[in-house]
Amino acid sequence: MAKGSVWEIGVEDVVAAGLKADEAVAFHEGLRRLVGEEPREGAEAEVWRAVAESGLLLPAHPHPLHQLVYYSVYATWDQSARGPPPYWFPSPINSKHTNLWKLMEHHGPKLLGSSYHDPLMSFSLFQKFSAHRPEVYWSAVIKELSVVFHEAPKSVLDTSENSKNGGAWFPGAVLNIAECCLLPMESQKRTDESVAILWRNEGSDDSSINYLSLKELRNQVMLVARAIDKIFMKGDAIAIDMPMTCTAVIIYLAIILAGCVVVSIADSFAANEIAKRMEVAKAKGIFTQDFILRGDKKIPLYSRVIKGTSCVVIVVPAHGNDVGVLLRSHDLSWKDFISSAGSLPRHNYPPVYQSADSVTNILFSSGTTGEPKAIPWTQISPIRCAADSWAHIDIQAGDICCWPTNLGWVMGPIILYSCFLNGATLALYHGSPLGRGFGKFVQDASVTMLGTVPSLVKYWKSSKCMEELDWTKIRIFGSTGEASDIDDDLWLSSRASYRPIIECCGGTELASSYIQGSLLQPQAFATFSTPSMSTGFIIFDEQGIPYPDDQPCVGEVGLFPLYMGSTDRLLNANHKKVYFDGMPTYKGMNLRRHGDIIQRTVGNYYIVHGRVDDTMNLGGIKTSSVEIERVCNRADENVLETAAVTITSNTGGPERLVVLVVPKNQSAKCDPEFLRTKFQKAIQNYLNPLFKVSFVKVVPEFPRTASNKLLRRVLRDQLKQEYRTYSRL
């Protein structure tokens, strides 16, 4: 895959990586012109930047060629001394067009004084200022969003109420956040004719793109809100359990416009999980589809929903105008529901204005360790997630944003608000994102921001389903949900001529990410470059003692409690006990629990090493599952993904490391002992020679939550049962 340095790459290596002989000669000559004839010690980042920005490496080139050049350039890079190697670099010319550059140029000199130089040099200083003076930062950023207060707030932040660890944000403000999504905004050049939503149905890959203008969206939302008024009362909790289609988005906004509360339920849940969420939220009704269409398959959804609730169900047809199932007597088809709105006035609906801290959406944690936490979002939460996307992913008016997700998971509302409060267009694919049809939609819709989850990228890369598609309109990627893989990120970035991937890590209860990337900093694959704007945190050891801010370390993260947009309550658990009790105090602040183990590297990048409960003790040394998996995933070319867990014998004793493997080629025979040897060597070389792999098991797939999080606990329990008498133990 890689040579000892980029200067060792020969024409024959380029041919072996997939180019024809004549193409290889031309490529090699171009590479030599960029890197020079003589090796330059310590110039790896400079060399890679020249190669990546030159356009020599094309999206159409085979991935082995991208691997050959990238890994050869950084072959001598000492990560322990220099930190993760950067692959993308901000330039003053391009950075001037970003949202944060403009904000910093306007406010930086006044707020930072003589310490301010320019947005690239002063970014970290400005971020720290925003964490220590969040009310100042938010007073500026709120003006950049499409947020219109019906009654203005008395202040940005009120910390006088001791019962609220995170303070009261925008006290006294009255608004309807759904209305804010639907209004023209002169500062964003958003008019009634602006395109609000683009979509295409799976199976119609050669059809033209469908679209809704802002005016059409607003009219449809008001129509649905009027129909909601006929059946429900103000303040009622109403669930949505269906794919994130154009209709689902309309329903979501209409529920909030009507002064009701959305209950978010993922469309993959079984009936008992639906029942749990309906009961906890005290939902009075639910919107769903008759079926979920995936290619030629019709997956029943209505029949699953009615097993989980006796409430009224409004059923949207997955295809056509009529539902394809027999409904219960008290349920309604979408057609009948809309008809109930009446004829006058269909498109003139007065929004229900409420205080900023009123609940608009009830979301749920994954529930991997018991009953899922019911997490209420207020009208402040959408402002937080939209502002984070404005600052970090740089969503701007005119962008076309696509992030395959579901309104049952936090990324659904996040991408919705990130588009509509920033004047961008929401692009929806009504179908599975796993196939080429999704990639063609991204191409045909001219998507400029594509969001992903790492397992999705891994599938795209291994299946080669996105080959020969043009993704060069994409100017930025987003990634969240699980730990990214360096080589998968290399593949993804290369599809759009090495555009940056902004990694995001946060939580439903934060309505945002606490660490992200930034277009004002160099980016390294599978890392985060900064705390998010206005976020402060420390990393502390097992005794609760914080590490110095400038010191590389690994430990648990503790968030500063003044976190705009985060929850101040839970519906079915003690909020203080869950997030604050037992956490260290730092400079008089009771830190907020998040539960992540993170590493701050040399060079001040961050890497997430999993949850506190995913740590393992190997020979007296604590490490994380994610750290082991990162190394093992790259140890053999037939490894699709790995899961690292530890088990002990029935009589106790030391933890023993087990690595489970999902192979790329399910039909090929995988020798567990051969893989164990390879994993052991990789772990010894790249992590710690004292870590020993006890055994390897090959499996067809891993158990996951509906939000695609790996269930290591389930794997651990299965292994304990299966291998309780295993000879190695």
Side-chain angles (χ1 to χ4, degrees):
M1 182 185 295
K3 309 295 288 186
S5 79
V6 69
W7 289 276
E8 295 180 20
I9 295 176
V11 174
E12 67 281 3
D13 299 309
V14 179
V15 171
L19 290 194
K20 296 177 181 177
D22 56 338
E23 295 174 333
V25 170
F27 180 90
H28 187 261
E29 290 175 351
L31 183 63
R32 279 305 174 96
R33 281 194 298 271
L34 289 169
V35 306
E37 294 296 327
E38 298 296 326
R40 289 176 285 156
E41 187 176 348
E44 296 95 337
E46 179 187 342
V47 168
W48 173 252
R49 181 173 189 172
V51 172
E53 294 180 356
S54 70
L56 177 69
L57 280 166
L58 302 174
H61 281 148
H63 185 56
L65 183 61
H66 292 271
Q67 292 174 311
L68 172 67
V69 177
Y70 174 78
Y71 293 120
S72 297
V73 166
Y74 282 118
T76 57
W77 181 274
D78 185 354
Q79 189 159 323
S80 63
R82 303 172 69 184
Y87 73 93
W88 182 87
F89 308 83
S91 70
I93 295 175
N94 292 330
S95 297
K96 287 180 180 178
H97 300 293
T98 64
N99 294 323
L100 261 186
W101 178 289
K102 297 170 187 175
L103 185 82
M104 288 181 65
E105 282 287 76
H106 185 69
H107 296 281
K110 179 181 177 181
L111 298 179
L112 302 181
S114 60
S115 299
Y116 181 78
H117 296 286
D118 64 59
L120 295 184
M121 291 183 64
S122 304
F123 171 77
S124 292
L125 189 63
F126 187 69
Q127 192 285 324
K128 288 178 181 176
F129 174 87
S130 75
H132 290 283
R133 296 291 307 279
E135 73 282 3
V136 177
Y137 173 78
W138 284 104
S139 67
V141 171
I142 192 86
K143 297 171 185 174
E144 304 293 334
L145 306 177
S146 178
V147 176
V148 179
F149 293 113
H150 187 65
E151 295 180 22
K154 297 173 184 176
S155 63
V156 174
L157 173 63
D158 179 4
T159 57
S160 62
E161 193 174 338
N162 293 329
S163 62
K164 290 191 175 184
N165 297 74
W169 292 91
F170 301 100
V174 174
L175 72 159
N176 186 295
I177 197 66
E179 181 194 36
C180 297
C181 294
L182 301 169
L183 296 175
M185 186 63 56
E186 186 176 348
S187 62
Q188 297 175 346
K189 298 180 180 178
R190 183 169 69 169
T191 69
D192 276 347
E193 286 68 46
S194 298
V195 177
I197 302 178
L198 295 173
W199 80 94
R200 177 185 279 167
N201 295 324
E202 184 176 12
S204 302
D205 301 336
D206 295 320
S207 300
S208 58
I209 302 289
N210 304 289
Y211 70 91
L212 270 185
S213 69
L214 182 64
K215 181 178 181 180
E216 290 169 329
L217 173 63
R218 184 171 64 247
N219 287 343
Q220 292 201 29
V221 169
M222 289 192 294
L223 174 62
V224 174
R226 189 164 294 283
I228 287 172
D229 280 351
K230 297 291 184 180
I231 301 174
F232 301 101
M233 303 289 290
K234 298 288 187 285
D236 279 352
I238 307 169
I240 300 176
D241 184 349
M242 58 190 292
M244 190 170 174
T245 63
C246 184
T247 302
V249 170
I250 290 167
I251 293 168
Y252 182 96
L253 292 172
I255 291 172
I256 296 170
L257 195 73
C260 296
V261 179
V262 175
V263 180
S264 293
I265 301 178
D267 60 16
S268 56
F269 279 132
N272 64 315
E273 294 297 325
I274 295 171
K276 276 186 199 175
R277 287 156 175 79
M278 293 289 286
E279 183 179 347
V280 169
K282 297 181 172 59
K284 298 295 196 296
I286 183 169
F287 287 88
T288 190
Q289 283 185 180
D290 48 3
F291 299 98
I292 299 173
L293 302 181
R294 287 292 181 265
D296 296 331
K297 294 182 179 178
K298 290 173 63 175
I299 303 167
L301 183 55
Y302 171 73
S303 60
R304 200 185 330 144
V305 167
I306 60 175
K307 289 178 183 176
T309 182
S310 59
C311 294
V312 60
V313 181
I314 296 115
V315 187
V316 178
H319 180 72
N321 297 317
D322 298 313
V323 295
V325 291
L326 183 64
L327 303 185
R328 298 179 304 187
S329 59
H330 64 287
D331 294 338
L332 288 171
S333 69
W334 179 249
K335 184 190 295 184
D336 290 341
F337 168 75
I338 293 297
S339 297
S340 70
S343 56
L344 291 173
R346 296 167 69 89
H347 298 146
N348 183 20
Y349 183 87
V352 176
Y353 296 109
Q354 301 184 86
S355 64
D357 65 353
S358 61
V359 175
T360 59
N361 194 176
I362 298 169
L363 297 109
F364 296 86
S365 66
S366 299
T368 59
T369 57
E371 186 178 73
K373 294 190 295 288
I375 299 169
W377 270 25
T378 68
Q379 300 204 81
I380 301 298
S381 309
I383 298 173
R384 174 66 195 229
C385 64
D388 267 15
S389 297
W390 177 91
H392 290 273
I393 301 180
D394 196 49
I395 293 181
Q396 301 184 9
D399 270 326
I400 299 172
C401 306
C402 181
W403 202 313
T405 182
N406 188 276
L407 288 170
W409 300 115
V410 70
M411 272 314 304
I414 284 179
I415 191 62
L416 183 156
Y417 287 119
S418 294
C419 288
F420 296 151
L421 295 183
N422 284 306
T425 297
L426 176 63
L428 300 170
Y429 185 68
H430 295 179
S432 169
L434 290 172
R436 186 177 180 82
F438 173 78
K440 190 172 185 298
F441 170 70
V442 170
Q443 168 189 279
D444 295 350
S446 298
V447 167
T448 59
M449 193 291 293
L450 177 61
T452 66
V453 293
S455 57
L456 189 56
V457 177
K458 186 178 291 292
Y459 179 84
W460 290 340
K461 186 186 81 169
S462 64
S463 68
K464 300 182 179 180
C465 64
M466 302 303 179
E467 287 189 353
E468 298 180 6
L469 291 174
D470 182 1
W471 282 7
T472 54
K473 294 286 180 63
I474 295 171
R475 67 180 186 88
I476 193 165
F477 293 97
S479 180
T480 192
E482 54 190 344
S484 290
D485 177 87
I486 291 173
D487 195 64
D488 293 343
D489 274 2
L490 173 67
W491 176 86
L492 181 65
S493 180
S494 72
R495 295 308 89 191
S497 301
Y498 288 101
R499 294 292 189 262
I501 303 168
I502 300 300
E503 301 281 349
C504 312
C505 180
T508 305
E509 76 284 357
L510 300 178
S512 63
S513 299
Y514 71 93
I515 48 174
Q516 299 198 61
S518 172
L519 295 184
L520 299 182
Q521 296 176 302
Q523 298 299 300
F525 287 129
T527 67
F528 310 83
S529 63
T530 179
S532 61
M533 295 304 298
S534 81
T535 298
F537 64 74
I538 64 158
I539 302 172
F540 59 89
D541 64 17
E542 292 175 347
Q543 284 73 46
I545 299 172
Y547 293 100
D549 282 346
D550 58 352
Q551 178 181 319
C553 58
V554 178
E556 184 175 349
V557 66
L559 302 175
F560 289 6
L562 291 181
Y563 196 111
M564 190 278 199
S566 63
T567 56
D568 60 8
R569 71 203 95 161
L570 293 170
L571 297 189
N572 59 345
N574 185 311
H575 187 270
K576 182 174 177 291
K577 182 178 179 180
V578 170
Y579 294 116
F580 290 97
D581 286 359
M583 286 295 287
T585 299
Y586 177 73
K587 294 185 177 180
M589 298 181 290
N590 185 188
L591 296 173
R592 181 181 178 116
R593 178 180 291 107
H594 186 67
D596 281 350
I597 297 292
I598 68 173
Q599 174 188 2
R600 181 167 51 234
T601 72
V602 174
N604 282 317
Y605 289 94
Y606 297 92
I607 298 172
V608 177
H609 288 291
R611 305 290 290 172
V612 173
D613 53 6
D614 279 340
T615 57
M616 52 181 69
N617 188 320
L618 299 176
I621 302 170
K622 288 207 169 182
T623 186
S624 74
S625 301
V626 174
E627 198 170 13
I628 299 285
E629 290 158 8
R630 280 197 180 104
V631 172
C632 292
N633 283 343
R634 295 188 58 197
D636 186 85
E637 62 182 10
N638 193 36
V639 170
L640 179 62
E641 57 181 336
T642 60
V645 298
T646 56
I647 58 176
T648 59
S649 70
N650 292 337
T651 56
E655 295 181 32
R656 301 298 180 94
L657 175 61
V658 182
V659 180
L660 296 98
V661 181
V662 175
K664 287 180 183 175
N665 185 353
Q666 296 281 354
S667 60
K669 185 178 180 181
C670 292
D671 182 358
E673 185 59 28
F674 171 75
L675 289 175
R676 190 190 72 81
T677 302
K678 296 198 82 170
F679 293 159
Q680 185 67 67
K681 184 177 179 180
I683 290 170
Q684 287 177 342
N685 288 340
Y686 299 110
L687 279 183
N688 193 313
L690 299 178
F691 295 168
K692 291 183 170 51
V693 181
S694 290
F695 59 92
V696 168
K697 182 180 181 183
V698 179
V699 296
E701 61 182 0
F702 293 145
R704 294 182 180 274
T705 68
S707 61
N708 209 43
K709 291 179 181 176
L710 180 62
L711 285 168
R712 293 188 184 86
R713 173 179 53 83
V714 173
L715 288 172
R716 193 180 298 115
D717 291 345
Q718 291 173 347
L719 284 167
K720 284 179 182 177
Q721 182 72 23
E722 188 173 347
Y723 289 101
R724 61 173 57 184
T725 57
Y726 191 77
S727 60
R728 290 186 184 276
L729 301 178

